[in-house]
Amino acid sequence: MTIADYHAFLSDKLQAGTDCGFEPLWMPDWLLGFQSHLDQWAIRNGRAAIFADCGFGKTPMQLVWAENVLRYTNMPVLIATPLAVSYQTVREGEKFGIQVTRSADGKHKGGIVVTNYERLHHFDPTEFGGFVGDESSILKNFDGKIKAEVTEFVRRIQYRLLCTATAAPNDYHELGTSSEALGYLGYQDMLTRFFKMQEKGGHLGWTRAKYRFRGHAEHPFWRWVCSWARACRRPSDLGFSNDGFVLPQLIEREHEINNSPIRDGMLFPLPARNMREQREERRISIKERCEKVAELVCAEDTPCVSWCHLNPEGDMLAKIIPGAEQVSGSMSDDEKEEKLLAFQSGQLKRLVTKPKIGCFGLNWQHCNRITTFPSHSWEQYYQAIRRCYRFGQTKPVTVDIVTTPGEVGVLRNLQRKASQADAMFDALVRYMCEELEIVRKDQFTNKEQVPSWL
């Protein structure tokens, strides 16, 4: 075996992101320094992920990446987005002089084409030279069938880019789904290589698998992630100035319903101990919680988005909040997009919807008032808040969380997940910076020795 063969052997074992892209053909001067840095890296990598916070300019970065792939391959590039975000992408293209067309049925005239994830099945992947997954973390919110279809779709496209602000909200195992979509290690392969399974007891006698890092694997894991992903929550994470990227104040206020209904058989409200009791707590307190939200919304004559989780919550809020309209799951995709865009343009002043419908990708910096009910999903909470509290917001953003005495455990769980998510993102940024130093400083002079067994 030659030295070259040994290099190839080591490379295959690592299965890290490699420079399978090309040199950038066009890099406009209107990109900010850190945006240009990320785009050039992603183009050279060929198949990459950008985990940048909300308001970081991921859409113009996607458009520049797509334009480069279009010019290099002379093939169309497809951008998939959440609902209503496709219109936003077209407008961003007009703003920066990049032609983008929208298609809902798979028909297109080439160039850069944008559609929604829900309509991806209308398209033929062999027609495209590149694919961009906007808000790619939304994939895990689809059922297994759709997620598998999306993963299979992008697998047949040479150049791929994934962008999201919440790569793995509070569980870095989910980074495996991004890796699999990009064509690197599959999710199960990632778990096998870097993690060790241990059993943890559950309710009613069943057990669920939990994973922890293998003793030697934490640093190799992050080094592997950093080979195909870049993360940043502020430009300084990449060595650039934070000028213009300082957010205003975020005011989070908790409102506990004192007259919350008491569950059957109880003398006074008690914290819900399990999911069943939490669901019961939500159902019996809908009226009181919604009335409190209406009171908070009507206290100020400003645009406001009210997030809910149950259909009866949304129906009641839309009924008792003056001028509010609801975007519900029963609506068609076109109806949902119409109302979401109406709120974004200012035609609609008060919006009621669920996080899983409208919390991904939309820019609502015109709004600085939010109401919500607690849930166990930190990602949905973070994304819902970041529709308004994002770079470009000039006013303090107020978030009113309406809860009951029985939902104390839900809030604590949300706070725990927030801490986990911050720790994961900090680790990713830290290891990314270390990896960049390794790339710059590793100038080895000693030649490697091929093991005798090879």
Side-chain angles (χ1 to χ4, degrees):
M1 175 176 283
T2 65
I3 294 295
D5 293 334
Y6 185 49
H7 279 157
F9 170 76
L10 293 178
S11 178
D12 289 341
K13 291 292 289 180
L14 181 60
Q15 285 188 271
T18 56
D19 292 338
C20 59
F22 53 90
E23 286 298 317
L25 304 177
W26 175 66
M27 200 57 52
D29 55 9
W30 44 260
L31 279 180
L32 300 177
F34 70 90
Q35 295 172 338
S36 178
H37 169 84
L38 288 170
D39 253 341
Q40 291 181 57
W41 168 80
I43 292 168
R44 293 189 180 102
N45 199 294
R47 289 178 283 129
I50 295 177
F51 303 145
D53 212 346
C54 302
F56 238 62
K58 291 190 289 295
T59 299
M61 285 191 281
Q62 293 169 13
L63 293 175
V64 171
W65 185 93
E67 181 67 24
N68 274 270
V69 173
L70 173 64
R71 296 185 184 188
Y72 183 78
T73 64
N74 199 30
M75 294 179 66
V77 177
L78 183 64
I79 301 177
T81 74
L83 282 175
V85 180
S86 57
Y87 293 96
Q88 188 172 280
T89 303
V90 172
R91 287 198 301 271
E92 288 286 292
E94 295 172 350
K95 175 182 176 181
F96 295 109
I98 300 176
Q99 185 174 2
V100 183
T101 57
R102 183 177 180 274
S103 174
D105 56 6
K107 299 178 181 178
H108 61 89
K109 298 180 179 179
I112 300 176
V113 184
V114 61
T115 191
N116 298 329
Y117 283 106
E118 293 85 350
R119 298 178 172 122
L120 204 58
H121 62 279
H122 293 301
F123 295 81
D124 181 359
T126 62
E127 298 178 356
F128 298 93
F131 174 86
V132 178
D134 185 26
E135 296 295 343
S136 55
S137 66
I138 197 177
L139 289 176
K140 61 180 170 293
N141 291 332
F142 292 125
D143 60 41
K145 180 180 178 181
I146 296 180
K147 184 166 62 175
E149 289 176 352
V150 173
T151 303
E152 181 60 28
F153 183 94
V154 302
R155 188 173 291 156
R156 289 175 279 177
I157 298 178
Q158 182 175 5
Y159 298 106
R160 311 169 208 169
L161 177 67
L162 301 181
C163 295
T164 183
T166 49
N170 58 292
D171 187 352
Y172 41 64
H173 299 169
E174 292 177 359
L175 290 168
T177 60
S178 297
S179 170
E180 187 169 358
L182 290 172
Y184 301 122
L185 277 178
Y187 176 77
Q188 289 299 328
D189 293 329
M190 180 203 71
L191 291 179
T192 302
R193 176 163 298 184
F194 298 109
F195 297 89
K196 183 177 179 62
M197 186 175 68
Q198 56 186 7
E199 296 296 329
K200 181 177 180 179
H203 297 292
L204 303 179
W206 58 268
T207 60
R208 57 181 176 179
K210 303 293 287 185
Y211 292 86
R212 62 171 177 82
F213 275 119
R214 295 182 181 275
H216 64 282
E218 184 171 4
H219 187 272
F221 170 80
W222 290 115
R223 185 168 184 171
W224 167 72
V225 172
C226 292
S227 69
W228 52 264
R230 289 288 180 266
C232 52
R233 283 187 168 175
R234 58 191 67 84
S236 58
D237 291 336
L238 298 169
F240 293 87
S241 171
N242 289 330
D243 290 348
F245 286 86
V246 179
L247 286 168
Q249 183 182 11
L250 177 65
I251 305 169
E252 296 175 287
R253 306 185 300 194
E254 295 181 15
H255 303 269
E256 186 175 289
I257 304 300
N258 295 324
N259 60 339
S260 175
I262 300 174
R263 294 196 298 272
D264 292 342
M266 300 295 175
L267 294 176
F268 47 83
L270 293 175
R273 296 170 297 176
N274 50 48
M275 290 295 293
R276 182 186 62 80
E277 291 186 356
Q278 289 168 6
R279 287 193 291 267
E280 181 185 358
E281 179 85 12
R282 290 180 182 180
R283 286 194 297 269
I284 64 176
S285 64
I286 287 176
K287 181 176 182 295
E288 290 76 12
R289 289 184 293 110
C290 288
E291 288 176 348
K292 183 61 178 180
V293 168
E295 174 189 333
L296 293 167
V297 171
C298 295
E300 298 183 27
D301 187 24
T302 58
C304 180
V305 55
S306 296
W307 300 101
C308 61
H309 303 292
L310 303 175
N311 290 335
E313 292 173 349
D315 295 340
M316 182 170 289
L317 288 172
K319 182 178 180 180
I320 64 177
I321 297 177
E325 292 192 28
Q326 180 186 187
V327 177
S328 64
S330 61
M331 294 178 174
S332 68
D333 290 342
D334 290 335
E335 289 177 307
K336 293 174 185 175
E337 286 187 323
E338 181 181 355
K339 290 195 175 184
L340 291 172
L341 291 170
F343 180 73
Q344 183 169 333
S345 65
Q347 299 175 19
L348 175 61
K349 196 169 186 179
R350 292 166 176 169
L351 178 71
V352 177
T353 190
K354 297 178 181 178
K356 64 181 181 181
I357 294 176
C359 77
F360 289 94
L362 292 164
N363 298 336
W364 293 341
Q365 288 98 326
H366 72 288
C367 173
N368 67 326
R369 288 280 289 109
I370 300 169
T371 68
T372 186
F373 302 125
S375 78
H376 288 287
S377 174
W378 177 86
E379 180 189 25
Q380 287 188 2
Y381 176 78
Y382 185 86
Q383 288 279 8
I385 302 308
R386 290 288 171 152
R387 294 312 95 223
C388 306
Y389 187 66
R390 55 195 291 119
F391 294 117
Q393 175 64 261
T394 59
K395 300 178 182 178
V397 174
T398 301
V399 182
D400 289 309
I401 306 170
V402 178
T403 185
T404 64
E407 292 186 301
V408 173
V410 180
L411 281 175
R412 288 176 180 171
N413 191 34
L414 193 64
Q415 293 163 355
R416 177 185 60 81
K417 290 183 176 182
S419 299
Q420 289 180 340
D422 289 341
M424 189 225 71
F425 215 98
D426 289 344
L428 182 53
V429 170
R430 182 175 69 256
Y431 279 97
M432 177 191 70
C433 294
E434 291 179 3
E435 178 67 10
L436 292 175
E437 289 293 324
I438 291 172
V439 171
R440 287 196 295 264
K441 293 183 178 181
D442 279 354
Q443 300 294 334
F444 298 108
T445 56
N446 295 333
K447 294 184 178 181
E448 63 274 25
Q449 296 181 356
V450 179
S452 59
W453 49 270
L454 289 176

